[in-house]
Amino acid sequence: MPPHTFKSKYLIIFFLISLLLFLFTSLKITLTTTIPNPPPSSDIPGIKIRPGYTSYELYINRQLNKTLNPKLRKIWATRDWDRKIRVFAGFFEDLKQKNLLSNSSKSLCVGARMGQEVEALRRVGVSDSVGIDLVPSPPLVVKGDFHRQPFDDGSFDFEFSNVFDHALYPEKFVGEIERTLRPGGVCVLHVALSTRSDKYSANDLLGVEPLKKLFKRSELVHVRTVDGFGLDTEVVFRKKQVTSGGP
Ligand SMILES: *[C@@H]1O[C@H](CO)[C@@H](O)[C@H](O)[C@H]1NC(C)=O
Ligand SMILES: *[C@@H]1O[C@H](CO)[C@@H](O)[C@H](O)[C@H]1NC(C)=O
């Protein structure tokens, strides 16, 4: 065969290899740009972060979608209002009898929606109570993200929450509670252990042990079964008086 054909054969092979390399690299770029960031993972065994929250913005929007849902808000403000306050007031009376809460406790409800828990606290005599939620609901609930509470360290004697399952970063949720509680302060969580929580949940909690791991600066006070609007377990922690050295 003539030398020039031989040469062009190599040229074609060279061209094909270049083309393949080019296609491969551009394909790789497309792949890496279309695969979303992995969801935040939880290092704590027994807490499963639900997949699909590819950004914090998406997560917040989804939470807002529930909080701002006009149908839900109407139910919360009418049919649910008194019933919930009565049930919460029962829980709080019980905590008062166990000396975990008193009329003079400065109290915070974390993820308080329209403030039924706050109203219940006030009705049982805990007058210095407020709630936070992504959407404020004056005068009971101020605007605040529970992953970053808008309060100074040691601000509260008592914190209550029934929205642990909505935390995308459970360690931050708990860390913020422990930060804003004073030493000796009490945190009461209502969680779902045997039931599955709602479609707006960001995590699934499989037991009390993971909570004990998260509450690094507190001691477990009690665990008991409750009937709290689909949440079946009350877990109470008390922040230690002295947080000994270490980070
Ligand atoms: C929020 O809810 C509306 C319907 O009420 C729905 O169309 C929309 O897709 C939802 N957005 C998110 C981020 O879930
Ligand atoms: C706490 O407040 C309630 C309701 O206002 C009242 O009935 C009760 O006597 C108070 N308890 C104490 C110990 O002051």
Side-chain angles (χ1 to χ4, degrees), residues 96 103 123-125:
K96 280 174 94 176
N103 284 4
R123 282 197 198 172
V124 301

Side-chain angles (χ1 to χ4, degrees), residues 91-107:
F91 292 139
F92 295 139
E93 285 288 7
D94 205 65
L95 292 164
K96 280 174 94 176
Q97 266 164 27
K98 294 184 161 72
N99 287 322
L100 295 166
L101 174 68
S102 79
N103 284 4
S104 59
S105 299
K106 192 168 159 47
S107 301

Side-chain angles (χ1 to χ4, degrees), residues 91 190-191 194 222-228 231-235:
F91 292 139
H190 282 183
V191 294
S194 57
H222 76 232
V223 180
R224 62 172 192 150
T225 304
V226 290
D227 183 6
L231 306 178
D232 54 25
T233 308
E234 179 178 272
V235 188

